[in-house]
Amino acid sequence: MTIHMVKLCVGADDIDDLADWQARLMKKLPAPVHHTRMAPKRADEMLKGGSIYWVIKRAIRVRQRIIDIRTVKDEDGKDMCELVFDPELVRTYAQPKRPFQGWRYLKPEEAPRDLNSGEVAVDLPADLDAALKNAGVW
Protein backbone atom coordinates (compact mmCIF):
# COMPACT_ATOMS: atom_id res chain seq x y z
CA MET A 1 0.00 0.00 0.00
CA THR A 2 1.17 3.54 -0.75
CA ILE A 3 1.24 6.27 1.88
CA HIS A 4 2.09 9.95 1.47
CA MET A 5 3.64 12.59 3.69
CA VAL A 6 2.38 16.10 4.38
CA LYS A 7 4.71 18.86 5.61
CA LEU A 8 4.59 22.61 6.11
CA CYS A 9 6.68 24.53 3.61
CA VAL A 10 7.95 27.05 6.15
CA GLY A 11 9.05 30.38 4.75
CA ALA A 12 7.41 29.96 1.34
CA ASP A 13 4.74 32.45 0.30
CA ASP A 14 3.77 30.49 -2.79
CA ILE A 15 4.74 27.58 -5.02
CA ASP A 16 7.25 29.73 -6.88
CA ASP A 17 9.19 30.25 -3.62
CA LEU A 18 9.41 26.46 -3.21
CA ALA A 19 10.52 26.07 -6.84
CA ASP A 20 13.20 28.77 -6.44
CA TRP A 21 14.52 27.23 -3.20
CA GLN A 22 14.77 23.80 -4.83
CA ALA A 23 16.37 25.21 -8.01
CA ARG A 24 19.13 26.76 -5.87
CA LEU A 25 19.56 23.45 -4.04
CA MET A 26 19.84 21.52 -7.32
CA LYS A 27 22.84 23.61 -8.33
CA LYS A 28 24.71 21.51 -5.75
CA LEU A 29 22.68 18.28 -5.78
CA PRO A 30 21.11 16.16 -8.54
CA ALA A 31 17.64 16.23 -6.93
CA PRO A 32 15.83 18.27 -4.29
CA VAL A 33 16.13 16.93 -0.75
CA HIS A 34 14.77 17.70 2.68
CA HIS A 35 16.24 16.66 6.02
CA THR A 36 14.23 15.61 9.05
CA ARG A 37 15.27 14.40 12.46
CA MET A 38 12.92 11.43 12.49
CA ALA A 39 12.82 8.79 9.76
CA PRO A 40 9.37 7.58 8.71
CA LYS A 41 8.58 4.09 9.98
CA ARG A 42 6.48 3.54 6.85
CA ALA A 43 9.28 4.42 4.42
CA ASP A 44 8.72 1.28 2.32
CA GLU A 45 5.11 2.36 1.70
CA MET A 46 6.24 5.87 0.80
CA LEU A 47 8.65 4.52 -1.79
CA LYS A 48 5.80 2.70 -3.56
CA GLY A 49 4.57 5.83 -5.34
CA GLY A 50 4.23 8.14 -2.34
CA SER A 51 4.57 11.91 -2.50
CA ILE A 52 5.25 14.76 -0.13
CA TYR A 53 2.36 17.21 -0.08
CA TRP A 54 3.56 20.72 0.74
CA VAL A 55 1.40 23.03 2.88
CA ILE A 56 1.84 26.65 1.81
CA LYS A 57 -0.17 29.41 3.48
CA ARG A 58 -2.42 27.01 5.42
CA ALA A 59 -3.31 24.76 2.47
CA ILE A 60 -1.85 21.79 0.62
CA ARG A 61 -1.07 23.26 -2.81
CA VAL A 62 1.60 21.12 -4.44
CA ARG A 63 3.20 17.69 -4.24
CA GLN A 64 6.41 15.96 -5.24
CA ARG A 65 7.01 12.26 -5.69
CA ILE A 66 9.38 10.76 -3.10
CA ILE A 67 12.12 8.87 -4.92
CA ASP A 68 14.39 7.89 -2.03
CA ILE A 69 14.61 7.94 1.75
CA ARG A 70 18.04 7.51 3.27
CA THR A 71 20.02 8.10 6.43
CA VAL A 72 22.76 10.74 6.39
CA LYS A 73 24.92 12.39 9.05
CA ASP A 74 24.49 16.01 10.12
CA GLU A 75 27.46 18.31 10.83
CA ASP A 76 27.68 16.87 14.38
CA GLY A 77 27.76 13.28 13.12
CA LYS A 78 24.20 12.47 14.20
CA ASP A 79 21.91 10.43 11.99
CA MET A 80 19.14 12.24 10.18
CA CYS A 81 16.67 11.32 7.47
CA GLU A 82 17.13 12.65 3.94
CA LEU A 83 14.05 12.66 1.73
CA VAL A 84 14.85 12.83 -1.99
CA PHE A 85 12.20 14.18 -4.37
CA ASP A 86 11.44 14.16 -8.04
CA PRO A 87 12.12 17.75 -9.16
CA GLU A 88 8.67 18.04 -10.76
CA LEU A 89 6.22 20.10 -8.69
CA VAL A 90 2.65 18.91 -9.29
CA ARG A 91 0.01 21.47 -8.39
CA THR A 92 -3.02 20.19 -6.50
CA TYR A 93 -6.39 21.57 -5.60
CA ALA A 94 -5.95 23.66 -2.46
CA GLN A 95 -6.90 21.68 0.62
CA PRO A 96 -7.00 23.57 3.93
CA LYS A 97 -4.56 22.31 6.54
CA ARG A 98 -3.97 23.66 10.02
CA PRO A 99 -0.41 24.28 11.18
CA PHE A 100 1.43 21.37 12.82
CA GLN A 101 5.00 20.50 13.71
CA GLY A 102 7.11 18.03 11.79
CA TRP A 103 5.37 15.92 9.18
CA ARG A 104 2.36 13.62 9.09
CA TYR A 105 1.31 10.62 7.05
CA LEU A 106 -1.42 11.27 4.47
CA LYS A 107 -3.63 8.46 3.21
CA PRO A 108 -4.10 8.43 -0.58
CA GLU A 109 -7.88 8.85 -0.23
CA GLU A 110 -7.33 12.01 1.87
CA ALA A 111 -4.88 13.64 -0.56
CA PRO A 112 -6.08 16.47 -2.79
CA ARG A 113 -6.49 15.76 -6.47
CA ASP A 114 -3.86 16.97 -8.93
CA LEU A 115 -4.82 19.85 -11.17
CA ASN A 116 -5.13 18.71 -14.78
CA SER A 117 -2.79 20.30 -17.29
CA GLY A 118 -5.55 22.54 -18.67
CA GLU A 119 -6.73 23.71 -15.26
CA VAL A 120 -5.49 26.93 -13.77
CA ALA A 121 -4.48 27.12 -10.13
CA VAL A 122 -6.24 30.12 -8.65
CA ASP A 123 -4.43 31.15 -5.51
CA LEU A 124 -7.46 31.72 -3.31
CA PRO A 125 -7.36 31.48 0.45
CA ALA A 126 -7.92 27.81 1.28
CA ASP A 127 -11.11 28.43 3.28
CA LEU A 128 -12.69 30.42 0.40
CA ASP A 129 -11.66 27.74 -2.09
CA ALA A 130 -13.26 25.04 0.09
CA ALA A 131 -16.46 27.10 0.54
CA LEU A 132 -16.80 27.61 -3.22
CA LYS A 133 -16.34 23.89 -3.84
CA ASN A 134 -18.88 22.99 -1.13
CA ALA A 135 -21.39 25.41 -2.64
CA GLY A 136 -20.95 23.81 -6.06
CA VAL A 137 -19.66 27.05 -7.57
CA TRP A 138 -16.10 25.83 -8.15
Side-chain angles (χ1 to χ4, degrees):
M1 182 173 130
T2 298
I3 193 80
H4 303 296
M5 174 185 280
V6 63
K7 175 137 182 48
L8 300 180
C9 192
V10 178
D13 288 327
D14 54 33
I15 297 169
D16 290 337
D17 281 347
L18 174 61
D20 291 345
W21 168 68
Q22 290 188 352
R24 286 190 306 273
L25 188 62
M26 286 191 297
K27 289 180 181 178
K28 301 175 192 171
L29 301 169
V33 299
H34 181 75
H35 296 115
T36 67
R37 238 177 350 126
M38 303 300 293
K41 292 182 181 7
R42 299 175 72 179
D44 290 341
E45 293 172 80
M46 295 170 104
L47 292 172
K48 293 179 181 174
S51 291
I52 185 164
Y53 284 78
W54 292 107
V55 177
I56 301 172
K57 295 295 182 187
R58 298 183 66 108
I60 297 172
R61 298 186 187 275
V62 66
R63 71 173 180 86
Q64 286 180 283
R65 192 170 54 85
I66 299 170
I67 58 175
D68 198 9
I69 300 172
R70 51 191 176 218
T71 302
V72 296
K73 301 281 186 190
D74 68 9
E75 58 274 356
D76 297 325
K78 294 182 182 176
D79 284 348
M80 60 188 324
C81 178
E82 182 174 75
L83 304 168
V84 183
F85 310 123
D86 183 315
E88 181 185 12
L89 293 169
V90 180
R91 290 175 182 259
T92 66
Y93 278 96
Q95 179 175 306
K97 191 74 175 167
R98 291 179 180 223
F100 58 92
Q101 288 188 330
W103 52 265
R104 301 287 184 268
Y105 292 115
L106 180 66
K107 295 177 185 173
E109 62 271 14
E110 295 172 357
R113 185 170 71 83
D114 293 350
L115 287 171
N116 294 325
S117 61
E119 295 175 301
V120 177
V122 178
D123 204 14
L124 294 174
D127 55 347
L128 176 58
D129 184 57
L132 289 170
K133 286 177 189 154
N134 289 337
V137 177
W138 208 246

